[in-house]
Amino acid sequence: MAERKKQTVVSSGISGLDEILRGGLPASNLYIVQGAPGSGKTTAALQFLRAGVAQGEPCIYVSLSQTRAELEAIALSHGWTLDGIRVEELSASDSINRAADQTIFQTTELRLDETRKAIESAIEEHKPSRLVYDSLLEIRLITADSPRFRRELIAFKAFLAQRNIVALLLDTQTSETDRTGEEVDGIAHGVIRLDKSLEEYGGVRRRIEVSKMRGVPVADGYHDMAIREGEGVVVFPRIVPGAAARTVKPQLIKSGVDTLDEMFGGGQESGTTTLVIGQAGTGKSTMASLYATAALKRGESVGLFLFEERIETFFRRSEGLGMALRQFHEDGQLILRDFNPNEISPGEFGQIVQQSVNSEKVKVVVIDSFTGYLNSLPHREKAVRDIQSLLKYLARAGVLTILIVAQHGLLGQGVGIDVDVSFLGDTVLLLRIAEHEGRLRRSITVVKKRHGPHDLDVRELFIQSSGVSVIAYNPLPEV
C-alpha cells in the first residue's frame, strides 16, 4: 500500500491549539473564527499573523470593523507590535463612501463591489501568505441578503485558494449569524468557536471548540482557554488518558514508616490513585507530606499541588514534623505550586500536572485538596470527569497519585463528602479522630486496595514533632 502523503500545515500561533489540530491549520484554506464580542477573536487573529511574520511570510489584516489604532492598542496590551503586518482599513475608506454617494440608487451592490475590489487589489499588490478578514458581520450588513452573502463568500474563497493564501475570517455571533451560520460553516474548510461565560462568582470562563476541520482528526469537544497578558490566547487541550508518555512497570512505593507500609501489603503501587479521606485535623496533608518526603529522599521527583494551603504554611507544617523540604524545592526536585482556585480552569490545571510529569519525571503527585479544587468550580460533575481523565493519564505514566479529600464535620458529627469520589481511588485510606477521656485520638484504616493484599485493622496514628508513627490500636479501658 502506498504511503499516505502528509498534509502541509501552518501554525495557528496559539499555544495549545496546534496540539488540538494535530500540528496546525491545513495550508491554503479558509477558516472561520466565531465568537461573541470580547471572546478573543482579534487577539487570536493577531497571533496567527505574528506566527506568519516569524516565518518570514507577508501578512495582511483586512479590517472593516476596527481601525489600525485599535489593533495597535490590542497588540500593545500584550507587549506586541504590528511590525510585518499590513493593515488595510476599509471601514473608514473615503473612496467607498464616495462611490456610494455618487449613485442615485445608493445600492448595496456598489458598496459590496467597491469593498471586494479594494481587498482584492491589496492582495494582488502585497501577495500575502496569511490573511485575516475582520469581520463577516460587516459583509452581512452590506449584502442584507443570505444567498448573495453566500455567493460572495464562495467567490472570495476561490480567489484565495488560487493564490495559496491561508485566511481567517472573523465572525461575531449575533442573531443574524445564527440564521446564516450553517451556510458559512459549509463553505469554510474549518470552524473554530470561542466561548466565554460569566459565572455568579469569579472570573470569566473561556473555552474553545474546533467544531469542524476537514481532513484532520481533531480533539473534538470543548477545551479550556484563557487570554493572558503577554501571551494572548492560550489553549489547554483536554487530557486524553491514552496519550501518557510512557508505560512503567508497577513498583512498590514506600512511606518511610514500616508499620504504615505493612498496612498496604508492603507499600503502595505506582500507577494507582490513593484517596486520603478524613475530617479536619486527622492528618491528611501530613500523610501526603510523608510519602512526598520518602520519594524525595529516594531521589525521585514529586509534584505537590496546593489549593487550600500556602507554600510557606506547607513548609512550616512539614518542618514541624521533622520533614525539611525547602532544599528539595530549591533544587527543583520538588515541584510545588499553590493556586487561587477561582483563577484556574480544569484544563489548565490538568496541563500543568501533565507537563510536570512529562518534563520532570515525577513519580508521586499530591493534590491537596480535591475538595478545594471542586469548591472553586461552577460545575462539579464536569470537574470530577476532568480529574478522572487526569488520574487515568497519571496511572498510565506510572505515577502514584495521592488525592486529599476532606470530610465536613468535626469529631464524628455529621461527617460526609459533598460529592461521591470513592470510585476514583484504587486505594482508600480513611483517617478519623475521636475524643476519649479528655484526649483526641487519631485512627487510620486501609478501607480499600484494588491491587494486592492489605491490612483491615484499625491502627492508631501519632503525629508528633519527632515524626509520624502508626501502632496497634488499643481501646482505652472504660471507667
Side-chain angles (χ1 to χ4, degrees):
M1 181 182 293
E3 184 178 350
R4 186 176 180 180
K5 187 177 180 181
K6 189 174 181 180
Q7 188 170 212
T8 302
V9 297
V10 300
S11 173
S12 67
I14 299 172
S15 174
L17 180 56
D18 286 349
E19 183 179 337
I20 294 172
L21 296 171
R22 302 292 190 262
L25 296 165
S28 305
N29 286 303
L30 181 148
Y31 302 94
I32 305 294
V33 178
Q34 293 180 339
S39 59
K41 299 186 302 298
T42 303
T43 301
L46 290 176
Q47 288 172 255
F48 167 71
L49 294 182
R50 281 171 53 82
V53 170
Q55 297 296 321
E57 302 171 8
C59 300
I60 291 183
Y61 194 113
V62 177
S63 179
L64 281 74
S65 58
Q66 300 188 79
T67 65
R68 181 184 180 87
E70 289 172 327
L71 293 174
E72 286 178 338
I74 293 172
L76 186 61
S77 69
H78 294 291
W80 306 336
T81 70
L82 297 183
D83 293 349
I85 301 174
R86 181 171 185 84
V87 178
E88 292 288 336
E89 296 179 65
L90 299 182
S91 57
S93 172
D94 292 336
S95 61
I96 294 176
N97 292 330
R98 284 196 303 269
D101 292 339
Q102 289 170 5
T103 176
I104 298 175
F105 300 104
Q106 296 283 321
T107 64
T108 59
E109 286 290 336
L110 182 56
R111 291 184 61 84
L112 187 62
D113 289 343
E114 291 294 329
T115 301
R116 186 195 318 109
K117 288 177 182 178
I119 295 170
E120 292 178 353
S121 175
I123 292 173
E124 293 290 16
E125 180 181 354
H126 302 289
K127 296 179 172 51
S129 297
R130 300 186 184 215
L131 178 138
V132 168
Y133 193 113
D134 183 7
S135 74
L136 288 181
L137 177 60
E138 278 67 24
I139 300 302
R140 280 193 181 90
L141 296 176
I142 292 176
T143 58
D145 178 86
S146 182
R148 183 72 181 90
F149 172 73
R150 180 180 174 83
R151 290 195 300 272
E152 192 69 23
L153 198 56
I154 291 173
F156 188 53
K157 176 184 177 182
F159 177 84
L160 296 174
Q162 291 170 2
R163 291 155 181 80
N164 297 318
I165 297 172
V166 184
L168 296 188
L169 275 60
L170 310 190
D171 196 13
T172 302
Q173 291 176 327
T174 65
S175 57
E176 181 65 24
T177 306
D178 295 337
R179 288 194 292 270
T180 61
E182 291 185 4
E183 296 179 351
V184 173
D185 293 357
I187 294 169
H189 191 84
V191 179
I192 299 170
R193 303 184 194 277
L194 307 182
D195 176 71
K196 73 170 187 175
S197 61
L198 185 62
E199 306 296 335
E200 292 184 3
Y201 181 79
V204 172
R205 301 281 179 178
R206 299 182 185 275
R207 303 182 299 176
I208 189 170
E209 178 203 9
V210 181
S211 62
K212 171 188 174 181
M213 192 62 58
R214 288 180 181 141
V216 179
V218 300
D220 58 3
Y222 280 113
H223 303 264
D224 289 324
M225 62 166 271
I227 300 178
R228 298 277 168 77
E229 183 179 349
E231 297 179 82
V233 172
V234 182
V235 177
F236 310 106
R238 195 175 60 254
I239 287 180
V240 179
R246 59 190 187 274
T247 301
V248 180
K249 184 178 179 180
Q251 58 180 334
L252 288 180
I253 295 180
K254 307 283 188 176
S255 66
V257 178
D258 292 341
T259 49
L260 177 58
D261 293 333
E262 290 173 5
M263 296 181 69
F264 290 103
Q268 298 204 55
E269 278 194 23
S270 60
T272 64
T273 299
T274 296
L275 300 184
V276 181
I277 302 176
Q279 302 153 266
T282 54
K284 302 183 300 298
S285 296
T286 299
M287 296 304 297
S289 298
L290 191 67
Y291 276 94
T293 302
L296 291 167
K297 288 182 177 179
R298 289 193 299 269
E300 301 168 0
S301 294
V302 173
L304 209 156
F305 306 98
L306 305 175
F307 281 91
E308 297 180 354
E309 195 172 33
R310 293 186 303 111
I311 290 179
E312 181 60 27
T313 304
F314 165 78
F315 279 136
R316 290 186 179 182
R317 176 178 55 76
S318 300
E319 289 164 352
L321 300 173
M323 304 180 217
L325 300 175
R326 290 182 191 267
Q327 191 60 48
F328 291 110
H329 179 50
E330 292 173 6
D331 293 341
Q333 190 179 345
L334 172 61
I335 301 168
L336 186 57
R337 294 283 302 271
D338 66 334
F339 300 99
N340 181 343
N342 295 310
E343 294 180 358
I344 190 167
S345 65
E348 181 177 4
F349 175 66
Q351 187 175 94
I352 289 172
V353 177
Q354 183 181 9
Q355 289 174 347
S356 299
V357 170
N358 291 340
S359 61
E360 304 296 337
K361 294 183 168 44
V362 167
K363 297 292 185 181
V364 176
V365 164
V366 177
I367 301 175
D368 186 4
S369 74
F370 182 54
T371 310
Y373 171 77
L374 280 179
N375 288 339
S376 70
L377 301 172
H379 306 293
R380 290 193 169 195
E381 296 304 323
K382 178 183 180 300
V384 171
R385 291 194 300 272
D386 287 334
I387 206 75
Q388 187 176 21
S389 295
L390 175 60
L391 294 177
K392 286 183 177 180
Y393 179 91
L394 294 174
R396 292 174 185 178
V399 173
L400 169 63
T401 306
I402 299 176
L403 204 61
I404 306 300
V405 182
Q407 293 176 307
H408 54 71
L410 292 172
L411 301 180
Q413 302 299 316
V415 174
I417 301 175
D418 293 336
V419 179
D420 181 19
V421 294
S422 59
F423 67 94
L424 295 176
D426 301 295
T427 304
V428 176
L429 186 63
L430 178 62
L431 305 180
R432 289 176 289 184
I433 190 168
E435 186 231 346
H436 190 91
E437 295 187 341
R439 180 166 82 87
L440 292 179
R441 301 180 69 182
R442 296 184 178 94
S443 65
I444 181 170
T445 313
V446 180
V447 176
K448 166 189 174 184
K449 186 169 185 277
R450 283 189 179 134
H451 308 286
H454 66 92
D455 192 342
L456 292 174
D457 293 343
V458 177
R459 303 202 185 193
E460 191 163 6
L461 173 66
F462 288 92
I463 302 175
Q464 301 167 316
S465 59
S466 58
V468 176
S469 58
V470 177
I471 65 171
Y473 191 91
N474 295 315
L476 296 175
E478 296 184 4
V479 178

